[in-house]
Amino acid sequence: MSDIRHAAVITGASSGIGLAYAQQLSQRGYDLILVARRKDRLEQLAFTLEEHSRSAVTTIVADLANEADLRRVQGVFSERKDISVLVNNAGVGALGPTSKVDVYSLENLVKVNVLALTTLSKAALSAFKARGHGLLVNIASVIAFGPSATAAAYGGSKAYVLNFSRSVEQEYTEGGITVQTILPGPVKSEFFSASGVAPPGFPEEHFMSADTLVETALRAFDMKERVTFPTLADTASWAEFEGARKKFYKSVLMTGKPAARYALAK
Ligand SMILES: NC(=O)c1ccc[n+]([C@@H]2O[C@H](COP(=O)([O-])OP(=O)(O)OC[C@H]3O[C@@H](n4cnc5c(N)ncnc54)[C@H](OP(=O)(O)O)[C@@H]3O)[C@@H](O)[C@H]2O)c1
């Protein structure tokens, strides 16, 4: 049996989905590098995980919206040769009508949900390429498909995560590198309170627990799924959607001419 240990970097590990990833990747035998702003939460989690598993846990207290902090986290991918998983999970909602959300919250959302995710994805993929293996997990959301008047920047950021992740997935078709995009529906976590809004008024049973979400996402990974909708019952509907999307994309891509309905009156 090999004694080589692998480490997973998890952003946003201080609560919700990130915390559940930390617990379940620890059960799968990974050492962990946990990133978030709340030092006390990270240290408590590291203590508990080290007590109950073989995982060695490192914490990095970092605000991913802060450039110097982001560079520090980026640096671990060149410093540590044992990292074989990155879970880009940290995210914020800045929910509410855009006219009512302050501009700093919107900018912060772009920095965390888009810029940090992009920077860390690139750092991880470069390291994985050099080592010949690795798993990048990017947490999007089903809202990537649902423009919403109370989540404009959030929905836009998750559409970015989906398209970005699927695009880099196409770059790494050979070798042992995997990109998995997760698109959860509503999950019970601190997400809505962190955004300063009440959770949507869905019935309680419409929220998945963070533990179940992560269990499902890991099972989907084991099944070699690359785009995972944990709540999708009918996989044929995704195949149909993809078929329609490809047909539509082809129809608008390279005709070189305006459509006939835009013909200028002579
Ligand atoms: N909950 C849902 O319904 C739902 C649905 C679909 C997708 N998602 C996505 O799932 C991911 C996790 O969300 P969650 O539901 O688990 O919410 P959560 O409990 O609020 O967790 C968010 C995590 O992100 C971290 N974070 C936020 N801003 C950060 C920053 N500037 N720098 C570093 N870390 C930061 C938080 O840690 P600190 O505050 O300690 O920094 C926390 O650990 C997000 O990307 C979210 O968009 C959530």
Side-chain angles (χ1 to χ4, degrees), residues 140-147 154-160 162 183:
S141 163
V142 290
I143 204 172
F145 295 98
Y154 181 63
S157 74
K158 293 303 182 179
Y160 175 90
L162 175 63
L183 296 101

Tab-separated table of all heavy atoms in Angstrom, residues 140-147 154-160 162 183:
chain	number	residue	atom	x	y	z
A	140	ALA	N	-20.969	25.941	-8.918
A	140	ALA	CA	-21.829	26.932	-9.591
A	140	ALA	C	-23.173	26.925	-8.873
A	140	ALA	O	-23.234	26.845	-7.645
A	140	ALA	CB	-21.946	26.564	-11.066
A	141	SER	N	-24.255	26.967	-9.609
A	141	SER	CA	-25.608	26.924	-9.023
A	141	SER	C	-26.597	26.762	-10.170
A	141	SER	O	-26.317	27.207	-11.297
A	141	SER	CB	-25.904	28.231	-8.285
A	141	SER	OG	-27.294	28.373	-8.067
A	142	VAL	N	-27.770	26.187	-9.875
A	142	VAL	CA	-28.791	26.099	-10.928
A	142	VAL	C	-29.223	27.479	-11.404
A	142	VAL	O	-29.766	27.613	-12.504
A	142	VAL	CB	-30.041	25.302	-10.485
A	142	VAL	CG1	-29.731	23.831	-10.330
A	142	VAL	CG2	-30.639	25.866	-9.200
A	143	ILE	N	-28.930	28.515	-10.597
A	143	ILE	CA	-29.327	29.871	-11.012
A	143	ILE	C	-28.561	30.310	-12.268
A	143	ILE	O	-28.945	31.280	-12.924
A	143	ILE	CB	-29.157	30.878	-9.850
A	143	ILE	CG1	-30.098	32.079	-10.074
A	143	ILE	CG2	-27.714	31.320	-9.691
A	143	ILE	CD1	-30.178	33.035	-8.926
A	144	ALA	N	-27.519	29.569	-12.627
A	144	ALA	CA	-26.811	29.839	-13.889
A	144	ALA	C	-27.792	29.782	-15.070
A	144	ALA	O	-27.542	30.359	-16.126
A	144	ALA	CB	-25.687	28.830	-14.092
A	145	PHE	N	-28.904	29.058	-14.883
A	145	PHE	CA	-29.903	28.924	-15.958
A	145	PHE	C	-31.131	29.789	-15.717
A	145	PHE	O	-32.089	29.692	-16.491
A	145	PHE	CB	-30.358	27.457	-16.067
A	145	PHE	CG	-29.262	26.548	-16.485
A	145	PHE	CD1	-28.566	25.809	-15.550
A	145	PHE	CD2	-28.894	26.444	-17.823
A	145	PHE	CE1	-27.538	24.976	-15.930
A	145	PHE	CE2	-27.863	25.620	-18.214
A	145	PHE	CZ	-27.180	24.884	-17.266
A	146	GLY	N	-31.136	30.606	-14.652
A	146	GLY	CA	-32.383	31.300	-14.318
A	146	GLY	C	-32.174	32.765	-14.002
A	146	GLY	O	-32.036	33.115	-12.826
A	147	PRO	N	-32.141	33.635	-15.024
A	147	PRO	CA	-32.004	35.066	-14.730
A	147	PRO	C	-33.046	35.470	-13.682
A	147	PRO	O	-34.189	35.030	-13.749
A	147	PRO	CB	-32.301	35.739	-16.075
A	147	PRO	CG	-32.058	34.686	-17.100
A	147	PRO	CD	-32.332	33.364	-16.444
A	154	TYR	N	-25.262	37.636	-8.831
A	154	TYR	CA	-25.027	36.254	-8.376
A	154	TYR	C	-25.271	35.263	-9.515
A	154	TYR	O	-24.429	34.411	-9.806
A	154	TYR	CB	-25.934	35.937	-7.175
A	154	TYR	CG	-25.717	34.543	-6.645
A	154	TYR	CD1	-24.484	34.168	-6.109
A	154	TYR	CD2	-26.737	33.595	-6.686
A	154	TYR	CE1	-24.275	32.880	-5.637
A	154	TYR	CE2	-26.528	32.305	-6.207
A	154	TYR	CZ	-25.296	31.948	-5.690
A	154	TYR	OH	-25.081	30.670	-5.238
A	155	GLY	N	-26.436	35.382	-10.176
A	155	GLY	CA	-26.747	34.481	-11.288
A	155	GLY	C	-25.719	34.616	-12.408
A	155	GLY	O	-25.277	33.616	-12.988
A	156	GLY	N	-25.326	35.868	-12.669
A	156	GLY	CA	-24.308	36.101	-13.710
A	156	GLY	C	-22.998	35.426	-13.339
A	156	GLY	O	-22.350	34.789	-14.180
A	157	SER	N	-22.621	35.524	-12.050
A	157	SER	CA	-21.337	34.923	-11.639
A	157	SER	C	-21.389	33.401	-11.768
A	157	SER	O	-20.399	32.763	-12.137
A	157	SER	CB	-20.980	35.332	-10.203
A	157	SER	OG	-21.773	34.658	-9.237
A	158	LYS	N	-22.556	32.807	-11.501
A	158	LYS	CA	-22.645	31.347	-11.565
A	158	LYS	C	-22.719	30.869	-13.023
A	158	LYS	O	-22.258	29.765	-13.340
A	158	LYS	CB	-23.825	30.844	-10.726
A	158	LYS	CG	-23.623	31.086	-9.225
A	158	LYS	CD	-22.335	30.446	-8.696
A	158	LYS	CE	-22.117	30.622	-7.212
A	158	LYS	NZ	-20.897	29.997	-6.701
A	159	ALA	N	-23.301	31.697	-13.909
A	159	ALA	CA	-23.256	31.367	-15.340
A	159	ALA	C	-21.795	31.398	-15.806
A	159	ALA	O	-21.365	30.563	-16.610
A	159	ALA	CB	-24.107	32.355	-16.135
A	160	TYR	N	-21.027	32.357	-15.274
A	160	TYR	CA	-19.590	32.406	-15.575
A	160	TYR	C	-18.904	31.129	-15.095
A	160	TYR	O	-18.124	30.506	-15.840
A	160	TYR	CB	-18.948	33.635	-14.897
A	160	TYR	CG	-17.442	33.666	-15.066
A	160	TYR	CD1	-16.855	34.310	-16.155
A	160	TYR	CD2	-16.598	33.016	-14.160
A	160	TYR	CE1	-15.473	34.302	-16.326
A	160	TYR	CE2	-15.227	32.998	-14.330
A	160	TYR	CZ	-14.663	33.643	-15.412
A	160	TYR	OH	-13.298	33.627	-15.582
A	162	LEU	N	-20.082	28.209	-14.642
A	162	LEU	CA	-20.456	27.063	-15.476
A	162	LEU	C	-19.697	27.081	-16.809
A	162	LEU	O	-19.067	26.092	-17.194
A	162	LEU	CB	-21.974	27.078	-15.726
A	162	LEU	CG	-22.494	26.010	-16.678
A	162	LEU	CD1	-22.247	24.612	-16.122
A	162	LEU	CD2	-23.993	26.206	-16.962
A	183	LEU	N	-23.853	22.030	-9.733
A	183	LEU	CA	-24.908	23.051	-9.794
A	183	LEU	C	-26.010	22.707	-8.787
A	183	LEU	O	-27.020	22.079	-9.143
A	183	LEU	CB	-25.484	23.138	-11.216
A	183	LEU	CG	-24.470	23.605	-12.257
A	183	LEU	CD1	-23.933	22.435	-13.057
A	183	LEU	CD2	-25.069	24.641	-13.178
